[in-house]
Amino acid sequence: MKLKELSALLGLSQTTISRALNGYPEVSEDTRRRVLQVAQDTGYRPNRAAQRLATGKAGSIGLIMPTAPEQSSDMHFAEFQSGLAEAAIRQDFHFVIMPTHRQDEEQAIRWLVASGSVDGYYLAYLREDDPRIPLAQSLNLPFIVHGRSIGIPEDYPYLDVDNEDAFYSATRLLTQLGHKRIALLNGPSELDFALRRRLGTERALNATGLQLDARHVRHSLMDDEQGYRGMREILTGPERPTAVLCASTVLALGAVRAMNELGLKLGRDMSLIAHDDELPLLKPENFSIPLTTTRSSLRAAGKRVGERLIAMINGAQPPLPERELWKAELVVRASTGPAPQDI
């Protein structure tokens, strides 16, 4: 199937079809859907080289992926990318992923933009006062941020979860259940989401005259082994807590393993609340004792970031909201209960 044949089949000009396939805003949504459906049904694929010459666009979105020899694979990253891919496929965009060492990220962004291989890109794993944001603002290419950066004015396009509010609500539930010693298994301390989750936890504790004990806090990569080690250290240390907040269900998996080894019953001897990114291979309701969670879908976030970035590239009118802050849902299950009275 060639463009000329597709034009005859649809009764539309080749220009209109090309604009519909490339997401130009002047094509109506009904026409765009019709063109995409027929293109899919007939197996039509635009000539990428010709498309680039005609539109001046690469048809790709970019990602700078920090990596290091000691860094393990991350299912959270994979789930976000699945949502991003869903949006990209619908608009026939490709990915360009540039791996780099963390200390070289800014230079990698400059190379990616200068290469002309992408029409836009997104930033992830935001840190406090993240220098990548002012750099991106100085470059002439659309970008969007997944997350935010404490210390930088929020005048850039982003999508984030209200992590501070999520952990404030989770901690407040635990204090209402009578828990006074609450532990925190958090993500890496330099990342913005982890900082905000700790702030939310501290704010809820302070509101009831309590404090977060530094001996009961761990920052680490969010995997099962780190959850196990951190929880075991805390439970075998001084003034054992009666509840724990976990920054992911992956950390919670390790934390529950440590509790089981020490003969502690989840929901009775220890309460646990985890953040649920809706990972398909680790559902909180499928734990032997279902987990109470703060829930927000990483896949949905990836899809939304992709939709917004592609709309920016295509000059959507009216433009989509520049800043979105999603609320996490608190879902109460059996892993939380009243604080034990004998501790």
Side-chain angles (χ1 to χ4, degrees), residues 24-54:
Y24 280 82
E26 58 265 32
V27 178
S28 73
E29 192 57 36
D30 285 344
T31 299
R32 191 189 324 280
R33 280 198 294 265
R34 181 176 164 225
V35 170
L36 290 172
Q37 185 61 55
V38 174
Q40 180 179 332
D41 292 344
T42 59
Y44 172 77
R45 302 288 291 179
N47 182 300
R48 218 13 116 171
Q51 190 178 51
R52 183 169 182 173
L53 286 172

PDB file of all heavy atoms in Angstrom, residues 24-54:
ATOM      1  N   TYR A  24      -0.826  16.714  12.691  1.00  0.00           N
ATOM      2  CA  TYR A  24      -0.987  18.163  12.542  1.00  0.00           C
ATOM      3  C   TYR A  24      -2.328  18.615  13.115  1.00  0.00           C
ATOM      4  O   TYR A  24      -3.362  17.953  12.907  1.00  0.00           O
ATOM      5  CB  TYR A  24      -0.887  18.567  11.068  1.00  0.00           C
ATOM      6  CG  TYR A  24       0.527  18.663  10.562  1.00  0.00           C
ATOM      7  CD1 TYR A  24       1.230  17.525  10.165  1.00  0.00           C
ATOM      8  CD2 TYR A  24       1.186  19.884  10.509  1.00  0.00           C
ATOM      9  CE1 TYR A  24       2.530  17.602   9.700  1.00  0.00           C
ATOM     10  CE2 TYR A  24       2.497  19.978  10.041  1.00  0.00           C
ATOM     11  CZ  TYR A  24       3.161  18.833   9.645  1.00  0.00           C
ATOM     12  OH  TYR A  24       4.460  18.916   9.199  1.00  0.00           O
ATOM     13  N   PRO A  25      -2.351  19.716  13.842  1.00  0.00           N
ATOM     14  CA  PRO A  25      -3.565  20.122  14.554  1.00  0.00           C
ATOM     15  C   PRO A  25      -4.712  20.554  13.654  1.00  0.00           C
ATOM     16  O   PRO A  25      -5.867  20.530  14.073  1.00  0.00           O
ATOM     17  CB  PRO A  25      -3.082  21.292  15.431  1.00  0.00           C
ATOM     18  CG  PRO A  25      -1.848  21.798  14.761  1.00  0.00           C
ATOM     19  CD  PRO A  25      -1.199  20.605  14.128  1.00  0.00           C
ATOM     20  N   GLU A  26      -4.425  20.952  12.388  1.00  0.00           N
ATOM     21  CA  GLU A  26      -5.509  21.435  11.536  1.00  0.00           C
ATOM     22  C   GLU A  26      -6.377  20.313  10.965  1.00  0.00           C
ATOM     23  O   GLU A  26      -7.408  20.573  10.337  1.00  0.00           O
ATOM     24  CB  GLU A  26      -4.953  22.298  10.378  1.00  0.00           C
ATOM     25  CG  GLU A  26      -3.946  21.568   9.505  1.00  0.00           C
ATOM     26  CD  GLU A  26      -2.511  21.819   9.924  1.00  0.00           C
ATOM     27  OE1 GLU A  26      -2.282  22.002  11.138  1.00  0.00           O
ATOM     28  OE2 GLU A  26      -1.640  21.857   9.048  1.00  0.00           O
ATOM     29  N   VAL A  27      -5.967  19.066  11.152  1.00  0.00           N
ATOM     30  CA  VAL A  27      -6.771  17.925  10.713  1.00  0.00           C
ATOM     31  C   VAL A  27      -7.736  17.558  11.832  1.00  0.00           C
ATOM     32  O   VAL A  27      -7.341  17.422  12.991  1.00  0.00           O
ATOM     33  CB  VAL A  27      -5.878  16.715  10.375  1.00  0.00           C
ATOM     34  CG1 VAL A  27      -6.722  15.514   9.960  1.00  0.00           C
ATOM     35  CG2 VAL A  27      -4.893  17.079   9.267  1.00  0.00           C
ATOM     36  N   SER A  28      -9.021  17.406  11.489  1.00  0.00           N
ATOM     37  CA  SER A  28     -10.021  17.099  12.521  1.00  0.00           C
ATOM     38  C   SER A  28      -9.752  15.737  13.146  1.00  0.00           C
ATOM     39  O   SER A  28      -9.155  14.849  12.513  1.00  0.00           O
ATOM     40  CB  SER A  28     -11.437  17.118  11.921  1.00  0.00           C
ATOM     41  OG  SER A  28     -11.643  15.980  11.105  1.00  0.00           O
ATOM     42  N   GLU A  29     -10.221  15.563  14.376  1.00  0.00           N
ATOM     43  CA  GLU A  29      -9.988  14.308  15.084  1.00  0.00           C
ATOM     44  C   GLU A  29     -10.693  13.151  14.387  1.00  0.00           C
ATOM     45  O   GLU A  29     -10.172  12.026  14.336  1.00  0.00           O
ATOM     46  CB  GLU A  29     -10.465  14.433  16.543  1.00  0.00           C
ATOM     47  CG  GLU A  29     -10.009  13.294  17.441  1.00  0.00           C
ATOM     48  CD  GLU A  29      -8.499  13.126  17.468  1.00  0.00           C
ATOM     49  OE1 GLU A  29      -7.780  14.147  17.411  1.00  0.00           O
ATOM     50  OE2 GLU A  29      -8.032  11.966  17.529  1.00  0.00           O
ATOM     51  N   ASP A  30     -11.888  13.392  13.830  1.00  0.00           N
ATOM     52  CA  ASP A  30     -12.609  12.323  13.114  1.00  0.00           C
ATOM     53  C   ASP A  30     -11.820  11.860  11.894  1.00  0.00           C
ATOM     54  O   ASP A  30     -11.702  10.658  11.632  1.00  0.00           O
ATOM     55  CB  ASP A  30     -13.986  12.829  12.667  1.00  0.00           C
ATOM     56  CG  ASP A  30     -14.963  12.927  13.828  1.00  0.00           C
ATOM     57  OD1 ASP A  30     -14.675  12.328  14.885  1.00  0.00           O
ATOM     58  OD2 ASP A  30     -16.004  13.589  13.672  1.00  0.00           O
ATOM     59  N   THR A  31     -11.279  12.823  11.147  1.00  0.00           N
ATOM     60  CA  THR A  31     -10.473  12.468   9.968  1.00  0.00           C
ATOM     61  C   THR A  31      -9.212  11.729  10.375  1.00  0.00           C
ATOM     62  O   THR A  31      -8.827  10.728   9.753  1.00  0.00           O
ATOM     63  CB  THR A  31     -10.103  13.738   9.174  1.00  0.00           C
ATOM     64  OG1 THR A  31     -11.295  14.377   8.732  1.00  0.00           O
ATOM     65  CG2 THR A  31      -9.231  13.401   7.974  1.00  0.00           C
ATOM     66  N   ARG A  32      -8.569  12.198  11.443  1.00  0.00           N
ATOM     67  CA  ARG A  32      -7.344  11.544  11.908  1.00  0.00           C
ATOM     68  C   ARG A  32      -7.613  10.085  12.286  1.00  0.00           C
ATOM     69  O   ARG A  32      -6.868   9.191  11.908  1.00  0.00           O
ATOM     70  CB  ARG A  32      -6.771  12.314  13.110  1.00  0.00           C
ATOM     71  CG  ARG A  32      -5.359  11.848  13.492  1.00  0.00           C
ATOM     72  CD  ARG A  32      -4.878  12.461  14.803  1.00  0.00           C
ATOM     73  NE  ARG A  32      -5.316  13.821  15.001  1.00  0.00           N
ATOM     74  CZ  ARG A  32      -4.752  14.884  14.440  1.00  0.00           C
ATOM     75  NH1 ARG A  32      -3.737  14.732  13.624  1.00  0.00           N
ATOM     76  NH2 ARG A  32      -5.221  16.095  14.692  1.00  0.00           N
ATOM     77  N   ARG A  33      -8.697   9.879  13.036  1.00  0.00           N
ATOM     78  CA  ARG A  33      -9.026   8.503  13.450  1.00  0.00           C
ATOM     79  C   ARG A  33      -9.311   7.617  12.245  1.00  0.00           C
ATOM     80  O   ARG A  33      -8.887   6.455  12.206  1.00  0.00           O
ATOM     81  CB  ARG A  33     -10.222   8.518  14.407  1.00  0.00           C
ATOM     82  CG  ARG A  33      -9.877   8.876  15.847  1.00  0.00           C
ATOM     83  CD  ARG A  33     -10.987   8.458  16.786  1.00  0.00           C
ATOM     84  NE  ARG A  33     -12.211   9.220  16.539  1.00  0.00           N
ATOM     85  CZ  ARG A  33     -12.545  10.316  17.209  1.00  0.00           C
ATOM     86  NH1 ARG A  33     -11.747  10.764  18.165  1.00  0.00           N
ATOM     87  NH2 ARG A  33     -13.663  10.963  16.938  1.00  0.00           N
ATOM     88  N   ARG A  34     -10.035   8.171  11.276  1.00  0.00           N
ATOM     89  CA  ARG A  34     -10.369   7.395  10.073  1.00  0.00           C
ATOM     90  C   ARG A  34      -9.105   7.013   9.302  1.00  0.00           C
ATOM     91  O   ARG A  34      -8.931   5.865   8.867  1.00  0.00           O
ATOM     92  CB  ARG A  34     -11.300   8.228   9.193  1.00  0.00           C
ATOM     93  CG  ARG A  34     -11.744   7.521   7.921  1.00  0.00           C
ATOM     94  CD  ARG A  34     -12.737   8.393   7.152  1.00  0.00           C
ATOM     95  NE  ARG A  34     -12.896   7.923   5.787  1.00  0.00           N
ATOM     96  CZ  ARG A  34     -12.904   8.684   4.714  1.00  0.00           C
ATOM     97  NH1 ARG A  34     -12.771   9.998   4.849  1.00  0.00           N
ATOM     98  NH2 ARG A  34     -13.065   8.178   3.508  1.00  0.00           N
ATOM     99  N   VAL A  35      -8.201   7.974   9.123  1.00  0.00           N
ATOM    100  CA  VAL A  35      -6.958   7.708   8.399  1.00  0.00           C
ATOM    101  C   VAL A  35      -6.117   6.672   9.135  1.00  0.00           C
ATOM    102  O   VAL A  35      -5.593   5.717   8.528  1.00  0.00           O
ATOM    103  CB  VAL A  35      -6.153   9.015   8.208  1.00  0.00           C
ATOM    104  CG1 VAL A  35      -4.749   8.709   7.681  1.00  0.00           C
ATOM    105  CG2 VAL A  35      -6.885   9.953   7.254  1.00  0.00           C
ATOM    106  N   LEU A  36      -5.974   6.832  10.448  1.00  0.00           N
ATOM    107  CA  LEU A  36      -5.167   5.884  11.232  1.00  0.00           C
ATOM    108  C   LEU A  36      -5.753   4.482  11.171  1.00  0.00           C
ATOM    109  O   LEU A  36      -5.008   3.495  11.086  1.00  0.00           O
ATOM    110  CB  LEU A  36      -5.071   6.368  12.686  1.00  0.00           C
ATOM    111  CG  LEU A  36      -4.223   7.617  12.938  1.00  0.00           C
ATOM    112  CD1 LEU A  36      -4.375   8.080  14.382  1.00  0.00           C
ATOM    113  CD2 LEU A  36      -2.756   7.346  12.631  1.00  0.00           C
ATOM    114  N   GLN A  37      -7.083   4.388  11.222  1.00  0.00           N
ATOM    115  CA  GLN A  37      -7.717   3.073  11.194  1.00  0.00           C
ATOM    116  C   GLN A  37      -7.499   2.377   9.856  1.00  0.00           C
ATOM    117  O   GLN A  37      -7.135   1.193   9.800  1.00  0.00           O
ATOM    118  CB  GLN A  37      -9.221   3.198  11.480  1.00  0.00           C
ATOM    119  CG  GLN A  37      -9.947   1.859  11.597  1.00  0.00           C
ATOM    120  CD  GLN A  37      -9.409   1.017  12.741  1.00  0.00           C
ATOM    121  OE1 GLN A  37      -9.377   1.465  13.874  1.00  0.00           O
ATOM    122  NE2 GLN A  37      -8.969  -0.195  12.433  1.00  0.00           N
ATOM    123  N   VAL A  38      -7.703   3.100   8.750  1.00  0.00           N
ATOM    124  CA  VAL A  38      -7.517   2.507   7.425  1.00  0.00           C
ATOM    125  C   VAL A  38      -6.044   2.173   7.191  1.00  0.00           C
ATOM    126  O   VAL A  38      -5.718   1.125   6.614  1.00  0.00           O
ATOM    127  CB  VAL A  38      -8.060   3.440   6.331  1.00  0.00           C
ATOM    128  CG1 VAL A  38      -7.728   2.902   4.937  1.00  0.00           C
ATOM    129  CG2 VAL A  38      -9.568   3.609   6.474  1.00  0.00           C
ATOM    130  N   ALA A  39      -5.150   3.050   7.662  1.00  0.00           N
ATOM    131  CA  ALA A  39      -3.716   2.766   7.525  1.00  0.00           C
ATOM    132  C   ALA A  39      -3.357   1.482   8.267  1.00  0.00           C
ATOM    133  O   ALA A  39      -2.582   0.652   7.768  1.00  0.00           O
ATOM    134  CB  ALA A  39      -2.902   3.942   8.047  1.00  0.00           C
ATOM    135  N   GLN A  40      -3.948   1.304   9.442  1.00  0.00           N
ATOM    136  CA  GLN A  40      -3.681   0.086  10.210  1.00  0.00           C
ATOM    137  C   GLN A  40      -4.269  -1.137   9.511  1.00  0.00           C
ATOM    138  O   GLN A  40      -3.622  -2.178   9.413  1.00  0.00           O
ATOM    139  CB  GLN A  40      -4.284   0.223  11.611  1.00  0.00           C
ATOM    140  CG  GLN A  40      -4.073  -0.993  12.493  1.00  0.00           C
ATOM    141  CD  GLN A  40      -4.664  -0.801  13.893  1.00  0.00           C
ATOM    142  OE1 GLN A  40      -4.771   0.310  14.378  1.00  0.00           O
ATOM    143  NE2 GLN A  40      -5.055  -1.893  14.512  1.00  0.00           N
ATOM    144  N   ASP A  41      -5.493  -1.005   9.017  1.00  0.00           N
ATOM    145  CA  ASP A  41      -6.166  -2.138   8.367  1.00  0.00           C
ATOM    146  C   ASP A  41      -5.450  -2.585   7.095  1.00  0.00           C
ATOM    147  O   ASP A  41      -5.434  -3.772   6.759  1.00  0.00           O
ATOM    148  CB  ASP A  41      -7.614  -1.765   8.026  1.00  0.00           C
ATOM    149  CG  ASP A  41      -8.482  -1.575   9.271  1.00  0.00           C
ATOM    150  OD1 ASP A  41      -8.053  -2.015  10.356  1.00  0.00           O
ATOM    151  OD2 ASP A  41      -9.563  -0.972   9.149  1.00  0.00           O
ATOM    152  N   THR A  42      -4.862  -1.627   6.371  1.00  0.00           N
ATOM    153  CA  THR A  42      -4.203  -1.955   5.100  1.00  0.00           C
ATOM    154  C   THR A  42      -2.712  -2.226   5.261  1.00  0.00           C
ATOM    155  O   THR A  42      -2.045  -2.614   4.298  1.00  0.00           O
ATOM    156  CB  THR A  42      -4.386  -0.805   4.088  1.00  0.00           C
ATOM    157  OG1 THR A  42      -3.825   0.403   4.645  1.00  0.00           O
ATOM    158  CG2 THR A  42      -5.859  -0.587   3.770  1.00  0.00           C
ATOM    159  N   GLY A  43      -2.186  -2.001   6.462  1.00  0.00           N
ATOM    160  CA  GLY A  43      -0.760  -2.222   6.682  1.00  0.00           C
ATOM    161  C   GLY A  43       0.119  -1.121   6.128  1.00  0.00           C
ATOM    162  O   GLY A  43       1.320  -1.318   5.926  1.00  0.00           O
ATOM    163  N   TYR A  44      -0.445   0.056   5.873  1.00  0.00           N
ATOM    164  CA  TYR A  44       0.346   1.159   5.324  1.00  0.00           C
ATOM    165  C   TYR A  44       1.334   1.691   6.353  1.00  0.00           C
ATOM    166  O   TYR A  44       0.988   1.919   7.512  1.00  0.00           O
ATOM    167  CB  TYR A  44      -0.569   2.311   4.880  1.00  0.00           C
ATOM    168  CG  TYR A  44       0.199   3.549   4.481  1.00  0.00           C
ATOM    169  CD1 TYR A  44       0.834   3.613   3.240  1.00  0.00           C
ATOM    170  CD2 TYR A  44       0.319   4.626   5.353  1.00  0.00           C
ATOM    171  CE1 TYR A  44       1.558   4.734   2.870  1.00  0.00           C
ATOM    172  CE2 TYR A  44       1.050   5.754   4.983  1.00  0.00           C
ATOM    173  CZ  TYR A  44       1.669   5.796   3.742  1.00  0.00           C
ATOM    174  OH  TYR A  44       2.396   6.898   3.389  1.00  0.00           O
ATOM    175  N   ARG A  45       2.573   1.866   5.920  1.00  0.00           N
ATOM    176  CA  ARG A  45       3.594   2.480   6.757  1.00  0.00           C
ATOM    177  C   ARG A  45       4.265   3.582   5.955  1.00  0.00           C
ATOM    178  O   ARG A  45       4.744   3.345   4.843  1.00  0.00           O
ATOM    179  CB  ARG A  45       4.675   1.462   7.179  1.00  0.00           C
ATOM    180  CG  ARG A  45       4.144   0.266   7.928  1.00  0.00           C
ATOM    181  CD  ARG A  45       3.710   0.641   9.324  1.00  0.00           C
ATOM    182  NE  ARG A  45       4.834   0.990  10.170  1.00  0.00           N
ATOM    183  CZ  ARG A  45       4.713   1.372  11.431  1.00  0.00           C
ATOM    184  NH1 ARG A  45       3.511   1.473  11.972  1.00  0.00           N
ATOM    185  NH2 ARG A  45       5.776   1.666  12.148  1.00  0.00           N
ATOM    186  N   PRO A  46       4.307   4.818   6.473  1.00  0.00           N
ATOM    187  CA  PRO A  46       4.931   5.913   5.718  1.00  0.00           C
ATOM    188  C   PRO A  46       6.434   5.698   5.573  1.00  0.00           C
ATOM    189  O   PRO A  46       7.081   5.077   6.434  1.00  0.00           O
ATOM    190  CB  PRO A  46       4.643   7.146   6.574  1.00  0.00           C
ATOM    191  CG  PRO A  46       4.382   6.618   7.951  1.00  0.00           C
ATOM    192  CD  PRO A  46       3.778   5.262   7.775  1.00  0.00           C
ATOM    193  N   ASN A  47       6.952   6.168   4.459  1.00  0.00           N
ATOM    194  CA  ASN A  47       8.396   6.135   4.224  1.00  0.00           C
ATOM    195  C   ASN A  47       9.059   7.134   5.162  1.00  0.00           C
ATOM    196  O   ASN A  47       8.843   8.334   5.055  1.00  0.00           O
ATOM    197  CB  ASN A  47       8.691   6.492   2.758  1.00  0.00           C
ATOM    198  CG  ASN A  47      10.175   6.431   2.442  1.00  0.00           C
ATOM    199  OD1 ASN A  47      10.968   7.146   3.040  1.00  0.00           O
ATOM    200  ND2 ASN A  47      10.531   5.574   1.508  1.00  0.00           N
ATOM    201  N   ARG A  48       9.854   6.623   6.096  1.00  0.00           N
ATOM    202  CA  ARG A  48      10.406   7.465   7.155  1.00  0.00           C
ATOM    203  C   ARG A  48      11.311   8.567   6.594  1.00  0.00           C
ATOM    204  O   ARG A  48      11.259   9.709   7.033  1.00  0.00           O
ATOM    205  CB  ARG A  48      11.192   6.547   8.067  1.00  0.00           C
ATOM    206  CG  ARG A  48      11.214   6.724   9.555  1.00  0.00           C
ATOM    207  CD  ARG A  48      10.247   7.617  10.174  1.00  0.00           C
ATOM    208  NE  ARG A  48       9.351   6.920  11.047  1.00  0.00           N
ATOM    209  CZ  ARG A  48       8.500   7.489  11.867  1.00  0.00           C
ATOM    210  NH1 ARG A  48       8.423   8.788  11.921  1.00  0.00           N
ATOM    211  NH2 ARG A  48       7.694   6.809  12.607  1.00  0.00           N
ATOM    212  N   ALA A  49      12.151   8.203   5.631  1.00  0.00           N
ATOM    213  CA  ALA A  49      13.072   9.194   5.071  1.00  0.00           C
ATOM    214  C   ALA A  49      12.299  10.290   4.331  1.00  0.00           C
ATOM    215  O   ALA A  49      12.587  11.480   4.484  1.00  0.00           O
ATOM    216  CB  ALA A  49      14.059   8.511   4.134  1.00  0.00           C
ATOM    217  N   ALA A  50      11.303   9.883   3.543  1.00  0.00           N
ATOM    218  CA  ALA A  50      10.506  10.867   2.814  1.00  0.00           C
ATOM    219  C   ALA A  50       9.708  11.738   3.779  1.00  0.00           C
ATOM    220  O   ALA A  50       9.563  12.942   3.580  1.00  0.00           O
ATOM    221  CB  ALA A  50       9.578  10.160   1.841  1.00  0.00           C
ATOM    222  N   GLN A  51       9.198  11.099   4.837  1.00  0.00           N
ATOM    223  CA  GLN A  51       8.421  11.830   5.832  1.00  0.00           C
ATOM    224  C   GLN A  51       9.280  12.900   6.511  1.00  0.00           C
ATOM    225  O   GLN A  51       8.832  14.029   6.731  1.00  0.00           O
ATOM    226  CB  GLN A  51       7.887  10.838   6.864  1.00  0.00           C
ATOM    227  CG  GLN A  51       6.871  11.406   7.835  1.00  0.00           C
ATOM    228  CD  GLN A  51       6.387  10.326   8.777  1.00  0.00           C
ATOM    229  OE1 GLN A  51       7.182   9.615   9.393  1.00  0.00           O
ATOM    230  NE2 GLN A  51       5.082  10.187   8.902  1.00  0.00           N
ATOM    231  N   ARG A  52      10.501  12.544   6.803  1.00  0.00           N
ATOM    232  CA  ARG A  52      11.387  13.497   7.463  1.00  0.00           C
ATOM    233  C   ARG A  52      11.711  14.670   6.543  1.00  0.00           C
ATOM    234  O   ARG A  52      11.751  15.831   6.976  1.00  0.00           O
ATOM    235  CB  ARG A  52      12.668  12.789   7.897  1.00  0.00           C
ATOM    236  CG  ARG A  52      13.619  13.694   8.666  1.00  0.00           C
ATOM    237  CD  ARG A  52      14.739  12.917   9.303  1.00  0.00           C
ATOM    238  NE  ARG A  52      15.609  13.798  10.068  1.00  0.00           N
ATOM    239  CZ  ARG A  52      16.592  13.393  10.847  1.00  0.00           C
ATOM    240  NH1 ARG A  52      16.820  12.102  10.981  1.00  0.00           N
ATOM    241  NH2 ARG A  52      17.339  14.242  11.501  1.00  0.00           N
ATOM    242  N   LEU A  53      11.924  14.371   5.260  1.00  0.00           N
ATOM    243  CA  LEU A  53      12.201  15.439   4.303  1.00  0.00           C
ATOM    244  C   LEU A  53      10.997  16.369   4.147  1.00  0.00           C
ATOM    245  O   LEU A  53      11.141  17.584   4.024  1.00  0.00           O
ATOM    246  CB  LEU A  53      12.577  14.843   2.940  1.00  0.00           C
ATOM    247  CG  LEU A  53      13.978  14.219   2.838  1.00  0.00           C
ATOM    248  CD1 LEU A  53      14.120  13.500   1.508  1.00  0.00           C
ATOM    249  CD2 LEU A  53      15.053  15.292   2.992  1.00  0.00           C
ATOM    250  N   ALA A  54       9.797  15.772   4.159  1.00  0.00           N
ATOM    251  CA  ALA A  54       8.584  16.553   3.929  1.00  0.00           C
ATOM    252  C   ALA A  54       8.206  17.408   5.130  1.00  0.00           C
ATOM    253  O   ALA A  54       7.712  18.528   4.980  1.00  0.00           O
ATOM    254  CB  ALA A  54       7.431  15.619   3.567  1.00  0.00           C
TER     255      ALA A  54
END
